[in-house]
Amino acid sequence: MAQNVEPGTASGYQRLSLWWEAVPAPLPPRPVLTQDLQVDVCIVGAGFTGLWTAHALARTDPSLRVAVVEREVAGFGASGRNGGWCSALFATSDAALARQHGGDAMRAMRRAMQETVDVVGATAAGEGIDCHYAKGGSVDLVRSEAQRVRALAEVDQARAFGFGDEDLRWLGRDETRELIGADRVLGATFTPHCAALQPALLARGLADAVERRGVQVYEHTEVLDILPGSPGSRPSVVTRGGVVDAEVVVRATEAWTPTLPRLHRDIVPVYSLMVATEPLGAGFWSSAGLEGRATFADHRHMIIYGQRTADGRMAFGGRGAPYHFGSSVRSSYDAEPAVHALLRRTLTELFPDLEGARFSHAWGGPLGIPRDWHSSVGLDRDSGLAWAGGYVGDGVATTNLAGRTLADLITGADSDLVALPWVGHRSPRWEPEPLRWLGVNAGLWTMKLADRSEARRGRPSRVAGAMGRLLGQ
Ligand SMILES: Cc1cc2nc3c(=O)[nH]c(=O)nc-3n(C[C@H](O)[C@H](O)[C@H](O)COP(=O)(O)OP(=O)(O)OC[C@H]3O[C@@H](n4cnc5c(N)ncnc54)[C@H](O)[C@@H]3O)c2cc1C
């Protein structure tokens, strides 16, 4: 089981998630920062954001001195524990993007995300990383009348925004059944822009790849503060072992951002939890389908997500764990027995043939939510500080786009990427406590209640819609 993790030991890391169990042991020893350092770019955090940024920088300009500084080990955070959906989903809805930035900018963002799904697969393959990448699309099931109303509205909206069948289409009941043998299905929406992958193998493989390209990766090195520069001075990164002085510092700490000085209201950490079965037999898969490894979810309010793994398991997750007061992030929050039990029940309800199957893993991790649900990437030239994050639950592909965009911003490349509407976006700060605790947990409860009410009455819940509008979605 991936619970009661003891970070700091190799076995502890391997228990972070199902995915981590497949990471070859022992982990290669990486240096700890023990003295002051001067580099061109210092990246704080060795998750996908930090590693993709290092990768893009090393590729764009191999002469740059780049250091990545990580408190635990590369892939320790959400990047080594997620659902492995490498999808074109972007946290901010198309409607909100179009409202704030205009229709063309929204479409450019969407197309960039779609391309990124392929870029991740191609780059991993190019670096010799076998992360079980399979681009089978994603199927979003409809299992009630209320879900049907929402799904059809989503397809209508996609058409109104200029996206055709090749981006999102409605599947009737029979067509859905050909793809996935889930129970009580009325239909589905399907997008081809998604791949399933094994995230820990990708994160660890990327860390090796950037080292091969000359990037220094320091592990077990906690960053205590990031100090901005000014037009006359460079920014710096303060660790216990030494201070890193750099031209640019990239903050890639996502859900841990509020644990850094002065940033405690920038991002809210919310936990997403997962379970996995043992490998399932051919009999199960002959009825459950998912041969091309399409990822799956349904149109309920409280997010659920699943994938058929390369070794024939179901890996399944969902939100619903409570937000912890003061935006605190602790390993003990990765295990929430009631939510794990609910996930096992929900998956078995979707696939009744799982009754009696053994669930071998349960784990979780924090993701980061900005106040306006708007992911962003940017570089402030005056302070030398760069950042990327606020992906909500859609960071697997978005981090790659962030990394390539940051490399262009840092090297001054005048590319299409730096003109995308999330570049330079600043989200408002979250409310102080206890308002933050009340607001976030009220939001989570609203989603749960809305799903329960829809399951009972069949009609779309108005409360959830109102909550969505409040959050700017
Ligand atoms: C259970 C779960 C399921 C998810 N499923 C999906 C999915 O299927 N598809 C999808 O697109 N997204 C998913 N996400 C979200 C996705 O995993 C994240 O958006 C993405 O991994 C974020 O990458 P990151 O590098 O920005 O952050 P992280 O991977 O969290 O990395 C941040 C790193 O910073 C380090 N750090 C923090 N503070 C410090 C410090 N002070 N000093 C030094 N280092 C520090 C941390 O140790 C960590 O390694 C999921 C998330 C979770 C938790």
Coordinates of all heavy atoms in Angstrom, one line a residue, residues 110-185:
R110 N -6.0 26.4 -26.7 CA -6.5 25.0 -26.9 C -5.6 24.2 -27.9 O -5.2 23.1 -27.6 CB -7.9 25.1 -27.3 CG -8.6 23.8 -27.5 CD -8.8 23.0 -26.2 NE -9.6 23.7 -25.2 CZ -9.5 23.5 -23.9 NH1 -8.5 22.6 -23.4 NH2 -10.2 24.1 -23.0
R111 N -5.3 24.8 -29.0 CA -4.5 24.1 -30.0 C -3.1 23.8 -29.4 O -2.5 22.8 -29.7 CB -4.3 25.0 -31.3 CG -5.7 25.2 -32.0 CD -6.2 23.9 -32.6 NE -7.5 24.1 -33.3 CZ -8.5 23.2 -33.2 NH1 -8.4 22.0 -32.5 NH2 -9.6 23.4 -33.9
A112 N -2.5 24.8 -28.7 CA -1.2 24.6 -28.1 C -1.2 23.4 -27.1 O -0.3 22.6 -27.1 CB -0.7 25.8 -27.4
M113 N -2.3 23.3 -26.4 CA -2.5 22.1 -25.5 C -2.6 20.8 -26.3 O -2.0 19.8 -25.9 CB -3.7 22.3 -24.6 CG -3.5 23.3 -23.5 SD -2.2 22.9 -22.3 CE -2.6 21.3 -21.8
Q114 N -3.3 20.8 -27.3 CA -3.5 19.6 -28.1 C -2.2 19.2 -28.7 O -1.8 18.0 -28.6 CB -4.5 19.9 -29.3 CG -5.9 20.1 -28.8 CD -6.9 20.6 -29.8 OE1 -6.5 20.8 -31.0 NE2 -8.2 20.7 -29.5
E115 N -1.4 20.1 -29.2 CA 0.0 19.8 -29.7 C 0.8 19.2 -28.6 O 1.7 18.3 -28.8 CB 0.6 21.0 -30.3 CG 0.1 21.4 -31.7 CD 0.6 22.8 -32.1 OE1 1.6 23.3 -31.6 OE2 -0.2 23.4 -32.9
T116 N 0.7 19.8 -27.4 CA 1.6 19.4 -26.3 C 1.4 17.9 -26.0 O 2.4 17.3 -25.6 CB 1.3 20.3 -25.1 OG1 1.6 21.6 -25.5 CG2 2.1 19.9 -23.9
V117 N 0.2 17.4 -26.1 CA 0.0 15.9 -25.8 C 0.9 15.1 -26.7 O 1.6 14.2 -26.2 CB -1.5 15.6 -26.1 CG1 -1.7 14.1 -25.9 CG2 -2.5 16.3 -25.2
D118 N 1.1 15.5 -28.0 CA 2.0 14.8 -28.8 C 3.5 15.1 -28.5 O 4.3 14.2 -28.6 CB 1.7 15.1 -30.3 CG 0.3 14.7 -30.7 OD1 -0.1 13.6 -30.3 OD2 -0.3 15.4 -31.6
V119 N 3.7 16.3 -28.1 CA 5.1 16.7 -27.8 C 5.6 15.9 -26.7 O 6.8 15.4 -26.7 CB 5.2 18.2 -27.5 CG1 6.6 18.6 -27.0 CG2 4.9 19.1 -28.7
V120 N 4.8 15.7 -25.6 CA 5.2 14.9 -24.5 C 5.6 13.5 -24.9 O 6.7 13.0 -24.6 CB 4.1 14.8 -23.4 CG1 4.4 13.8 -22.3 CG2 3.8 16.2 -22.8
G121 N 4.8 12.8 -25.7 CA 5.1 11.5 -26.2 C 6.3 11.4 -27.0 O 7.2 10.6 -26.8
A122 N 6.5 12.4 -27.9 CA 7.6 12.4 -28.8 C 8.9 12.7 -28.1 O 10.0 12.1 -28.3 CB 7.4 13.4 -30.0
T123 N 8.8 13.7 -27.1 CA 10.1 14.0 -26.4 C 10.5 12.9 -25.5 O 11.7 12.6 -25.4 CB 9.8 15.3 -25.6 OG1 9.2 16.3 -26.4 CG2 11.1 15.9 -25.0
A124 N 9.5 12.3 -24.8 CA 9.9 11.1 -24.0 C 10.6 10.0 -24.8 O 11.6 9.5 -24.4 CB 8.6 10.6 -23.3
A125 N 10.0 9.7 -26.0 CA 10.5 8.7 -26.8 C 11.9 9.1 -27.3 O 12.9 8.3 -27.3 CB 9.6 8.4 -28.0
G126 N 12.1 10.4 -27.6 CA 13.4 10.9 -28.1 C 14.5 10.8 -27.0 O 15.6 10.6 -27.3
E127 N 14.1 10.8 -25.8 CA 15.0 10.7 -24.7 C 15.2 9.3 -24.2 O 15.8 9.0 -23.2 CB 14.6 11.6 -23.5 CG 14.7 13.1 -23.8 CD 16.1 13.6 -23.9 OE1 17.1 12.8 -23.6 OE2 16.3 14.8 -24.2
G128 N 14.5 8.4 -24.9 CA 14.6 7.0 -24.5 C 13.8 6.6 -23.2 O 14.2 5.7 -22.5
I129 N 12.8 7.4 -22.9 CA 12.0 7.2 -21.6 C 10.8 6.4 -22.0 O 9.9 6.8 -22.7 CB 11.6 8.5 -21.0 CG1 12.8 9.5 -20.7 CG2 10.8 8.3 -19.7 CD1 12.4 10.9 -20.3
D130 N 10.7 5.2 -21.4 CA 9.6 4.3 -21.7 C 8.6 4.6 -20.5 O 8.7 4.0 -19.4 CB 10.0 2.8 -21.7 CG 8.7 1.9 -21.9 OD1 7.6 2.5 -22.2 OD2 8.8 0.7 -21.7
C131 N 7.6 5.5 -20.8 CA 6.7 5.9 -19.8 C 5.3 5.3 -20.1 O 4.3 5.9 -19.7 CB 6.7 7.4 -19.5 SG 6.2 8.3 -21.0
H132 N 5.2 4.3 -20.9 CA 4.0 3.6 -21.2 C 3.0 4.5 -21.9 O 1.8 4.4 -21.6 CB 3.4 2.9 -20.0 CG 4.3 2.1 -19.2 ND1 4.0 1.6 -18.0 CD2 5.5 1.6 -19.5 CE1 5.0 0.9 -17.5 NE2 5.9 0.9 -18.4
Y133 N 3.5 5.5 -22.7 CA 2.6 6.5 -23.4 C 1.7 5.8 -24.4 O 2.2 5.1 -25.3 CB 3.5 7.5 -24.0 CG 2.8 8.6 -24.8 CD1 2.6 9.8 -24.2 CD2 2.4 8.4 -26.1 CE1 2.0 10.9 -24.9 CE2 1.8 9.4 -26.8 CZ 1.6 10.7 -26.2 OH 1.0 11.7 -26.9
A134 N 0.4 6.0 -24.3 CA -0.5 5.4 -25.3 C -1.6 6.4 -25.5 O -2.4 6.8 -24.6 CB -1.1 4.1 -24.8
K135 N -1.7 6.9 -26.8 CA -2.7 8.0 -27.1 C -4.0 7.4 -27.6 O -4.2 7.2 -28.8 CB -2.1 9.0 -28.1 CG -2.9 10.2 -28.2 CD -2.4 11.2 -29.2 CE -3.3 12.4 -29.3 NZ -3.0 13.3 -30.4
G136 N -4.8 7.1 -26.6 CA -6.1 6.5 -27.0 C -7.3 7.4 -26.8 O -8.5 6.9 -26.9
G137 N -7.0 8.7 -26.5 CA -8.1 9.6 -26.3 C -8.7 9.5 -24.9 O -8.2 8.8 -24.1
S138 N -9.8 10.1 -24.7 CA -10.5 10.1 -23.4 C -12.0 10.1 -23.5 O -12.6 10.8 -24.3 CB -10.1 11.4 -22.6 OG -10.5 11.3 -21.3
V139 N -12.6 9.2 -22.7 CA -14.1 9.1 -22.8 C -14.7 9.5 -21.5 O -14.3 9.1 -20.4 CB -14.5 7.6 -23.2 CG1 -13.9 6.6 -22.2 CG2 -16.0 7.4 -23.3
D140 N -15.7 10.4 -21.6 CA -16.3 11.0 -20.5 C -17.8 10.5 -20.4 O -18.6 11.0 -21.2 CB -16.3 12.6 -20.6 CG -16.0 13.3 -19.3 OD1 -16.1 12.6 -18.3 OD2 -15.7 14.5 -19.4
L141 N -18.0 9.6 -19.5 CA -19.3 8.8 -19.6 C -20.5 9.7 -19.1 O -20.3 10.6 -18.3 CB -19.2 7.6 -18.7 CG -18.1 6.6 -19.0 CD1 -18.0 5.6 -17.9 CD2 -18.5 5.9 -20.3
V142 N -21.6 9.4 -19.6 CA -22.9 10.0 -19.2 C -23.7 8.9 -18.6 O -24.1 7.9 -19.2 CB -23.6 10.6 -20.4 CG1 -25.0 10.9 -20.1 CG2 -22.9 11.8 -20.9
R143 N -24.1 9.1 -17.3 CA -24.7 8.0 -16.5 C -26.0 8.5 -15.9 O -26.6 7.8 -15.0 CB -23.8 7.4 -15.5 CG -22.5 6.8 -16.2 CD -21.5 6.2 -15.2 NE -22.0 4.9 -14.7 CZ -22.2 4.7 -13.5 NH1 -22.0 5.6 -12.6 NH2 -22.6 3.5 -13.1
S144 N -26.5 9.7 -16.2 CA -27.8 10.1 -15.7 C -28.3 11.2 -16.6 O -27.5 11.7 -17.5 CB -27.6 10.8 -14.3 OG -26.9 12.0 -14.4
E145 N -29.6 11.6 -16.5 CA -30.1 12.6 -17.3 C -29.4 13.9 -17.1 O -29.1 14.7 -18.1 CB -31.6 12.7 -17.0 CG -32.4 13.6 -18.0 CD -32.2 13.3 -19.5 OE1 -31.9 12.2 -19.8 OE2 -32.2 14.3 -20.2
A146 N -29.1 14.2 -15.9 CA -28.4 15.5 -15.6 C -27.1 15.5 -16.3 O -26.7 16.6 -16.8 CB -28.3 15.7 -14.1
Q147 N -26.4 14.4 -16.3 CA -25.1 14.4 -16.9 C -25.2 14.5 -18.4 O -24.4 15.1 -19.1 CB -24.3 13.1 -16.6 CG -23.9 13.0 -15.1 CD -23.0 11.8 -14.9 OE1 -22.5 11.2 -15.8 NE2 -22.8 11.5 -13.6
R148 N -26.3 14.0 -19.0 CA -26.6 14.1 -20.4 C -26.8 15.5 -20.8 O -26.2 16.0 -21.8 CB -27.8 13.2 -20.8 CG -27.8 12.8 -22.3 CD -28.9 11.9 -22.6 NE -30.2 12.6 -22.5 CZ -30.8 13.2 -23.5 NH1 -30.2 13.2 -24.7 NH2 -31.9 13.9 -23.3
V149 N -27.5 16.2 -20.0 CA -27.8 17.7 -20.3 C -26.4 18.4 -20.4 O -26.1 19.2 -21.3 CB -28.7 18.3 -19.3 CG1 -28.8 19.8 -19.4 CG2 -30.1 17.6 -19.3
R150 N -25.6 18.2 -19.3 CA -24.3 18.9 -19.3 C -23.4 18.5 -20.4 O -22.7 19.3 -21.0 CB -23.6 18.6 -18.0 CG -23.8 19.6 -16.9 CD -22.8 19.5 -15.8 NE -22.7 18.2 -15.2 CZ -23.6 17.8 -14.3 NH1 -24.7 18.5 -13.9 NH2 -23.5 16.6 -13.8
A151 N -23.4 17.2 -20.8 CA -22.5 16.7 -21.9 C -22.9 17.3 -23.2 O -22.0 17.7 -24.0 CB -22.5 15.2 -21.9
L152 N -24.2 17.3 -23.5 CA -24.6 17.9 -24.8 C -24.3 19.4 -24.8 O -24.0 19.9 -25.9 CB -26.1 17.6 -25.0 CG -26.5 16.1 -25.2 CD1 -28.0 15.8 -25.2 CD2 -25.8 15.6 -26.6
A153 N -24.5 20.0 -23.7 CA -24.2 21.5 -23.7 C -22.7 21.7 -24.0 O -22.3 22.7 -24.6 CB -24.6 22.1 -22.3
E154 N -21.9 20.8 -23.4 CA -20.4 20.9 -23.7 C -20.1 20.8 -25.2 O -19.3 21.5 -25.7 CB -19.7 19.8 -22.9 CG -18.3 20.1 -22.6 CD -17.7 19.0 -21.7 OE1 -18.0 18.9 -20.6 OE2 -16.8 18.2 -22.3
V155 N -20.8 19.8 -25.8 CA -20.5 19.6 -27.2 C -21.0 20.8 -28.0 O -20.3 21.3 -28.9 CB -21.2 18.3 -27.8 CG1 -21.0 18.2 -29.3 CG2 -20.6 17.1 -27.0
D156 N -22.2 21.3 -27.7 CA -22.7 22.5 -28.3 C -21.8 23.7 -28.2 O -21.5 24.4 -29.1 CB -24.1 22.9 -27.7 CG -25.2 22.0 -28.2 OD1 -25.0 21.2 -29.1 OD2 -26.3 22.1 -27.6
Q157 N -21.2 23.8 -27.0 CA -20.3 25.0 -26.7 C -19.1 24.8 -27.5 O -18.6 25.8 -28.1 CB -20.0 25.1 -25.2 CG -19.3 26.4 -25.0 CD -18.9 26.6 -23.5 OE1 -18.2 25.8 -23.0 NE2 -19.4 27.7 -22.9
A158 N -18.6 23.6 -27.6 CA -17.4 23.4 -28.4 C -17.6 23.8 -29.9 O -16.8 24.4 -30.5 CB -17.0 21.9 -28.3
R159 N -18.8 23.4 -30.4 CA -19.1 23.8 -31.8 C -19.2 25.3 -31.9 O -18.6 25.9 -32.9 CB -20.5 23.2 -32.2 CG -20.5 21.7 -32.3 CD -19.6 21.1 -33.3 NE -19.6 19.7 -33.2 CZ -18.8 19.0 -32.4 NH1 -17.9 19.7 -31.7 NH2 -18.9 17.7 -32.3
A160 N -19.8 26.0 -30.9 CA -19.9 27.4 -31.0 C -18.6 28.1 -31.0 O -18.4 29.2 -31.6 CB -20.8 27.9 -29.8
F161 N -17.6 27.5 -30.3 CA -16.2 28.0 -30.2 C -15.4 27.6 -31.4 O -14.2 27.9 -31.4 CB -15.6 27.6 -28.9 CG -16.0 28.4 -27.7 CD1 -16.2 27.8 -26.5 CD2 -16.3 29.8 -27.8 CE1 -16.6 28.6 -25.4 CE2 -16.7 30.5 -26.7 CZ -16.8 29.9 -25.5
G162 N -15.9 26.8 -32.3 CA -15.2 26.5 -33.5 C -14.4 25.1 -33.5 O -13.6 24.8 -34.3
F163 N -14.8 24.3 -32.5 CA -14.2 23.0 -32.4 C -15.1 21.9 -32.9 O -16.3 21.9 -32.6 CB -13.8 22.6 -31.0 CG -12.8 23.6 -30.4 CD1 -13.2 24.5 -29.4 CD2 -11.5 23.7 -30.8 CE1 -12.4 25.4 -28.9 CE2 -10.6 24.6 -30.3 CZ -11.0 25.5 -29.3
G164 N -14.6 21.0 -33.8 CA -15.5 20.1 -34.5 C -15.4 18.7 -33.9 O -14.9 18.5 -32.8
D165 N -16.0 17.7 -34.6 CA -16.0 16.3 -34.1 C -14.7 15.8 -33.9 O -14.5 14.9 -33.0 CB -16.7 15.5 -35.3 CG -18.1 15.2 -35.0 OD1 -18.6 15.8 -34.0 OD2 -18.7 14.4 -35.8
E166 N -13.7 16.3 -34.6 CA -12.3 15.8 -34.4 C -11.7 16.2 -33.1 O -10.7 15.7 -32.7 CB -11.4 16.2 -35.6 CG -11.1 17.7 -35.7 CD -12.3 18.6 -36.2 OE1 -13.4 18.0 -36.5 OE2 -12.1 19.8 -36.4
D167 N -12.4 17.2 -32.4 CA -11.9 17.6 -31.1 C -12.7 17.0 -29.9 O -12.2 16.6 -28.9 CB -11.9 19.1 -31.0 CG -10.9 19.7 -31.9 OD1 -9.7 19.2 -32.0 OD2 -11.2 20.7 -32.6
L168 N -14.1 17.0 -30.1 CA -15.0 16.5 -29.1 C -16.2 16.1 -29.8 O -16.8 16.8 -30.5 CB -15.3 17.7 -28.1 CG -16.2 17.2 -26.9 CD1 -15.4 16.4 -25.9 CD2 -16.8 18.5 -26.2
R169 N -16.6 14.8 -29.5 CA -17.9 14.4 -30.1 C -18.7 13.6 -29.1 O -18.2 13.0 -28.2 CB -17.6 13.6 -31.4 CG -16.9 12.3 -31.3 CD -16.5 11.8 -32.6 NE -15.8 10.6 -32.6 CZ -16.3 9.4 -32.7 NH1 -17.6 9.3 -32.9 NH2 -15.6 8.3 -32.6
W170 N -20.0 13.6 -29.5 CA -21.0 12.8 -28.7 C -20.9 11.3 -29.2 O -20.9 11.1 -30.4 CB -22.4 13.4 -28.9 CG -23.5 12.5 -28.3 CD1 -24.3 11.7 -29.0 CD2 -23.8 12.3 -26.9 NE1 -25.1 11.0 -28.2 CE2 -24.9 11.4 -26.9 CE3 -23.3 12.9 -25.8 CZ2 -25.5 11.0 -25.7 CZ3 -23.9 12.5 -24.6 CH2 -25.0 11.5 -24.5
L171 N -20.9 10.4 -28.2 CA -21.0 9.0 -28.6 C -22.3 8.4 -28.1 O -22.6 8.7 -26.9 CB -19.9 8.1 -27.9 CG -18.4 8.5 -28.2 CD1 -17.5 7.4 -27.5 CD2 -18.1 8.4 -29.7
G172 N -23.0 7.8 -28.9 CA -24.3 7.1 -28.4 C -24.0 5.9 -27.6 O -22.8 5.5 -27.4
R173 N -25.0 5.3 -27.0 CA -24.8 4.2 -26.0 C -24.0 3.1 -26.7 O -23.1 2.6 -26.0 CB -26.2 3.7 -25.6 CG -26.2 2.7 -24.5 CD -27.5 2.1 -24.3 NE -28.6 3.0 -24.1 CZ -29.3 3.1 -23.0 NH1 -29.0 2.2 -22.0 NH2 -30.3 3.9 -22.9
D174 N -24.4 2.7 -27.9 CA -23.7 1.5 -28.5 C -22.2 1.8 -28.8 O -21.3 1.0 -28.5 CB -24.4 1.0 -29.8 CG -25.8 0.5 -29.4 OD1 -26.0 0.2 -28.2 OD2 -26.6 0.4 -30.3
E175 N -22.0 3.0 -29.3 CA -20.6 3.4 -29.7 C -19.8 3.5 -28.4 O -18.6 3.0 -28.4 CB -20.6 4.8 -30.3 CG -20.0 4.8 -31.7 CD -20.0 6.3 -32.2 OE1 -21.0 7.0 -32.0 OE2 -19.0 6.6 -32.8
T176 N -20.4 3.9 -27.3 CA -19.7 4.0 -26.0 C -19.3 2.6 -25.6 O -18.2 2.3 -25.1 CB -20.5 4.7 -25.0 OG1 -21.0 6.0 -25.5 CG2 -19.7 4.9 -23.7
R177 N -20.3 1.7 -25.7 CA -20.1 0.3 -25.2 C -18.9 -0.4 -26.0 O -18.2 -1.2 -25.4 CB -21.3 -0.5 -25.4 CG -22.4 -0.2 -24.4 CD -22.8 -1.5 -23.7 NE -23.7 -1.2 -22.6 CZ -25.0 -1.2 -22.7 NH1 -25.6 -1.5 -23.8 NH2 -25.7 -0.9 -21.7
E178 N -18.7 0.0 -27.3 CA -17.6 -0.6 -28.0 C -16.3 -0.2 -27.5 O -15.3 -0.9 -27.6 CB -17.7 -0.1 -29.5 CG -18.7 -0.9 -30.3 CD -18.9 -0.2 -31.7 OE1 -18.0 0.4 -32.2 OE2 -20.0 -0.3 -32.2
L179 N -16.3 1.0 -26.8 CA -15.0 1.5 -26.3 C -14.8 1.1 -24.8 O -13.7 0.7 -24.5 CB -15.1 3.0 -26.3 CG -13.9 3.9 -26.2 CD1 -12.9 3.5 -27.3 CD2 -14.2 5.3 -26.3
I180 N -15.9 1.1 -24.1 CA -15.7 0.9 -22.6 C -16.9 0.2 -22.1 O -18.1 0.6 -22.3 CB -15.4 2.2 -21.9 CG1 -15.4 2.0 -20.4 CG2 -16.4 3.3 -22.2 CD1 -14.9 3.2 -19.6
G181 N -16.7 -0.9 -21.4 CA -17.9 -1.7 -20.8 C -18.3 -1.3 -19.4 O -18.3 -2.1 -18.5
A182 N -18.6 0.0 -19.3 CA -19.0 0.5 -17.9 C -20.5 0.3 -17.8 O -21.2 0.1 -18.8 CB -18.6 1.9 -17.7
D183 N -21.0 0.3 -16.5 CA -22.4 0.0 -16.2 C -23.2 1.3 -16.3 O -22.8 2.4 -16.1 CB -22.4 -0.5 -14.8 CG -23.7 -1.3 -14.5 OD1 -24.2 -2.0 -15.4 OD2 -24.3 -1.1 -13.4
R184 N -24.5 1.1 -16.7 CA -25.5 2.1 -16.7 C -25.1 3.3 -17.5 O -25.2 4.5 -17.0 CB -25.9 2.5 -15.2 CG -26.7 1.5 -14.5 CD -27.3 2.0 -13.2 NE -27.3 3.4 -13.0 CZ -26.5 4.0 -12.0 NH1 -25.9 3.3 -11.2 NH2 -26.5 5.3 -11.9
V185 N -24.6 3.1 -18.7 CA -24.1 4.2 -19.5 C -25.2 4.6 -20.5 O -25.7 3.8 -21.3 CB -22.8 3.8 -20.2 CG1 -22.4 4.7 -21.3 CG2 -21.7 3.7 -19.2

